Amino acid sequence: MAAKLKKGDKVVVLAGKDKGKQGEITSVNPSANKAVVDGVNIAIRHTKQSQASQGGRIAKAMPIDLSNLAIVDKNGKPTRVGFRMEGDQKVRYAKTTGDVI
């Protein structure tokens, strides 16, 4: 199945502790059905000091389920993603506006 959400898409969180927050997808894991979004689902990780980095409490964005994310259209509203054929190419489009994403 084609991916509705991809790396670089601007999304809004629909459910959970970060409901309403917006961010950009930095990575997607389709097999686990999860994505990492900048500034969303932040957790504190305690890391040991090494030669490369200072140790301590590091804030890290954790994966969030794809079902809790919706892509943001040109109006800044969450929308669903659809697929259609334009010529011989399959493209993603916003269901609310009909614009190609």
Side-chain angles (χ1 to χ4, degrees), residues 39-51:
V40 174
N41 200 20
I42 301 295
I44 301 295
R45 291 287 172 248
H46 298 267
T47 58
K48 192 173 180 181
Q49 184 175 0
S50 67
Q51 286 183 340

Side-chain angles (χ1 to χ4, degrees), residues 4-56:
K4 293 187 180 211
L5 298 174
K6 296 182 178 181
K7 181 178 176 179
D9 286 345
K10 188 164 172 103
V11 294
V12 63
V13 179
L14 300 176
K17 66 177 185 175
D18 294 321
K19 182 177 180 177
K21 286 189 180 178
Q22 291 187 3
E24 188 174 315
I25 296 179
T26 55
S27 68
V28 178
N29 185 354
S31 60
N33 206 33
K34 293 188 180 278
V36 177
V37 181
D38 278 342
V40 174
N41 200 20
I42 301 295
I44 301 295
R45 291 287 172 248
H46 298 267
T47 58
K48 192 173 180 181
Q49 184 175 0
S50 67
Q51 286 183 340
S53 65
Q54 182 72 24

